[in-house]
Amino acid sequence: MKKVVKFGGSSLASAEQFRKVGDIIHADAARRYVVPSAPGKRSSNDTKVTDMLYDCYAAAANGDDITEKIDAIKSRYQEIIDGLGLQLTLDEEFSVIRAKFEEGAGSEYAASRGEYLNGIVMAAFLGYEFIDAAEVIRFDENGTFDAETTNEQMSARLEAVERAVIPGFYGATADGTIRTFSRGGSDITGSIVARAVHADLYENWTDVSGFLVTDPHIVPNPETIETVTYRELRELSYMGANVMHADAIFPLRKEGIPINIKNTNRPEDPGTLIVESTCRQPKFTITGIAGKKGFCAINIEKAMMNTEIGFGRKVLQVFEENGISFEHVPSGIDTFTVIVHQTEFMEKEQRVISGLHRAVQPDTLDLESGLALIAVVGRGMRAQRGTAGRIFSALSHAHINVKMIDQGSSELNIIIGVRNEDFEAAVKAIYDIFVLTHL
Ligand code: ASP
């Protein structure tokens, strides 16, 4: 068995957290490749080391004296080193970092040092080999991640390595310039390593016991999702649910490697398992509910639209030419609606309207703003009759008017549009009918 384990910033914020991580790793010999984030917040009003590094670099770029800021970062690591009783000094590393900051090495280099240094500490703590991500993770000159070169380099480098620590979040171009992923990108590093070593499991350790069925700000203490498929997760994260970086899914999906989201502070909790496919029936008919506010509908009406071949293409071309991506296109015989993100649309609204008039000469065209979309997602819906019926009766009981419905034939999700102000009540009503009444 081979497992890749990634630990997030809050799991590595202090010596005490490092100890928990050590116990977790030692409890299972299969946990061979470790990907750490930079130290995160120790309490809610603390600052992440990554943010301290960005801030320090900005000061250096401004020509300010950075002694105090560098010392504050150094003391975050020193506290961990001392707390773990390690014989390790980062003095030399910090003088290189300081010099590079003053030379203008770039903010990506700066941010990457959080993971780099934490990797050194983690390797010393575990007695594992340290492998600098700059050696194995490749970006091209434009800063785009090069998945295939990385996979080759990473597999070759790790082939004969029994146990190693590979810091998250960054890599380098062919000439050695450090580049980072977007924020939260250590998740991606973990999945890249898992793909390269053909891991049996990628464990992503964080500070929650997995994905929740819905947003806890809307429904207090929602149930945890036990198993979710990559496709379901994609739908849910697209609509705003997040625990893991969305780009971390792809390398694993390619190889069918499962991911287990686990809680460092409650390692006994099973967490959420993310898989390609499963025979395990979900506990409830639905797997999750996610949603977002701030959409706008452009409603186009034209008599005999149904006979006009190419109508939809012409409409969508106007959006394409204005660089606006559309979310959904519910349509009727003589009506065609395009749903878009309001902020993206607003700046170009009048150009789109005149473009539509020119392209399709509608009888009427009206806009409706302030819409929220809710995705009710679940592989279990396919085999069930009455799912849509239950959703709509729950919404009707909650006195919520449904503005739009969209269900693809995959039956993986049902998208419902409601007014922004009905959003929370709608999510709650759907949660209640599928989850609360089935506990
Ligand atoms: N340390 C980086 C961040 O704060 C990357 C990560 O933690 O995944 O975004």
Side-chain angles (χ1 to χ4, degrees):
M1 268 284 245
K2 229 187 268 173
K3 292 183 187 172
V4 171
V5 287
K6 179 260 168 181
F7 291 88
S10 60
S11 302
L12 299 168
S14 63
E16 193 195 341
Q17 291 299 85
F18 259 78
R19 282 228 165 73
K20 291 184 194 166
V21 167
D23 291 346
I24 290 167
I25 293 170
H26 296 310
D28 182 350
R31 294 182 174 135
R32 290 171 41 185
Y33 302 102
V34 181
V35 176
S37 281
K41 295 182 180 193
R42 289 160 295 187
S43 60
S44 56
N45 52 5
D46 200 10
T47 310
K48 292 180 176 188
V49 164
T50 308
D51 291 313
M52 296 169 86
L53 287 161
Y54 278 123
D55 177 61
C56 180
Y57 185 74
N62 206 25
D64 300 347
D65 176 17
I66 55 169
T67 311
E68 239 173 65
K69 289 185 191 288
I70 286 274
D71 285 350
I73 298 167
K74 198 169 169 189
S75 75
R76 288 290 310 265
Y77 288 98
Q78 201 56 50
E79 194 186 295
I80 296 170
I81 292 170
D82 294 344
L84 296 174
L86 296 176
Q87 296 305 315
L88 174 73
T89 164
L90 296 176
D91 287 351
E92 248 175 63
E93 297 290 351
F94 269 97
S95 43
V96 173
I97 291 171
R98 183 179 181 138
K100 288 259 198 188
F101 275 31
E102 285 165 349
E103 271 166 30
S107 63
E108 294 188 44
Y109 166 80
S112 75
R113 298 302 87 184
E115 271 70 10
Y116 170 79
L117 295 168
N118 228 19
I120 294 176
V121 177
M122 178 64 89
F125 175 54
L126 296 172
Y128 282 19
E129 181 176 346
F130 171 79
I131 296 178
D132 188 349
E135 261 183 63
V136 276
I137 296 195
R138 174 69 67 83
F139 284 77
D140 67 18
E141 317 71 62
N142 308 317
T144 308
F145 168 57
D146 177 348
E148 295 319 312
T149 309
T150 300
N151 196 42
E152 281 161 29
Q153 293 184 158
M154 183 78 83
S155 329
R157 180 70 179 81
L158 293 180
E159 202 175 357
V161 179
E162 184 63 21
R163 297 176 184 277
V165 174
I166 306 110
F169 192 39
Y170 71 94
T173 58
D175 71 3
T177 309
I178 299 287
R179 303 302 300 244
T180 55
F181 294 109
S182 56
R183 295 298 303 265
S186 298
D187 287 342
I188 309 174
T189 309
S191 72
I192 293 168
V193 177
R195 177 184 172 205
V197 301
H198 299 143
D200 297 286
L201 182 67
Y202 170 31
E203 288 180 340
N204 191 297
W205 291 83
T206 172
D207 51 10
V208 289
S209 296
F211 284 104
L212 300 172
V213 171
T214 195
D215 184 348
H217 300 105
I218 302 176
V219 174
N221 299 318
E223 289 282 305
T224 303
I225 300 175
E226 287 171 359
T227 310
V228 61
T229 64
Y230 297 136
R231 286 170 68 216
E232 289 173 311
L233 187 63
R234 168 109 177 93
E235 301 283 346
L236 290 168
S237 17
Y238 184 70
M239 288 301 276
N242 82 57
V243 167
M244 206 176 146
H245 198 298
D247 295 349
I249 310 290
F250 293 104
L252 297 179
R253 197 170 175 170
K254 266 199 163 143
E255 301 278 324
I257 298 170
I259 310 169
N260 196 358
I261 307 282
K262 296 275 286 175
N263 188 346
T264 302
N265 305 315
R266 295 175 58 95
E268 61 292 347
D269 286 354
T272 298
L273 195 62
I274 309 167
V275 294
E276 163 79 43
S277 185
T278 176
C279 294
R280 293 191 208 186
Q281 277 308 312
K283 193 161 162 201
F284 314 104
T285 306
I286 59 158
T287 302
I289 311 161
K292 279 190 203 161
K293 291 183 183 178
F295 293 91
C296 172
I298 297 97
N299 300 313
I300 302 163
E301 266 191 60
K302 187 175 185 189
M304 308 301 286
M305 181 190 289
N306 60 321
T307 60
E308 207 177 314
I309 290 174
F311 191 93
R313 180 187 50 76
K314 289 182 208 154
V315 168
L316 294 179
Q317 194 167 350
V318 175
F319 287 86
E320 182 182 346
E321 282 163 1
N322 281 284
I324 299 171
S325 67
F326 68 91
E327 298 297 307
H328 297 278
V329 281
S331 63
I333 306 173
D334 289 338
T335 60
F336 194 92
T337 302
V338 184
I339 307 224
V340 294
H341 279 279
Q342 200 162 319
T343 43
E344 210 181 310
F345 176 69
M346 241 150 46
E347 303 158 24
K348 297 172 184 161
E349 136 191 299
Q350 298 306 321
R351 281 198 358 233
V352 173
I353 293 174
S354 53
L356 288 171
H357 274 280
R358 270 197 301 278
V360 295
Q361 298 87 39
D363 295 337
T364 58
L365 190 160
D366 70 87
L367 303 182
E368 186 165 358
S369 59
L371 294 179
L373 295 182
I374 299 167
V376 184
V377 178
R379 60 191 185 280
M381 299 197 302
R382 199 166 185 165
Q384 290 273 340
R385 265 175 296 140
T387 310
R390 284 162 73 195
I391 296 175
F392 298 119
S393 78
L395 293 174
S396 137
H397 275 110
H399 305 288
I400 293 163
N401 180 32
V402 174
K403 310 277 311 174
M404 190 220 53
I405 307 161
D406 193 353
Q407 184 193 320
S409 53
S410 70
E411 291 180 73
L412 187 69
N413 64 355
I414 299 180
I415 310 277
I416 298 146
V418 298
R419 281 197 309 268
N420 273 346
E421 54 274 28
D422 288 334
F423 175 65
E424 285 82 6
V427 169
K428 209 175 160 319
I430 299 169
Y431 181 86
D432 288 355
I433 193 79
F434 287 104
V435 179
L436 275 196
T437 53
H438 285 263
L439 281 176

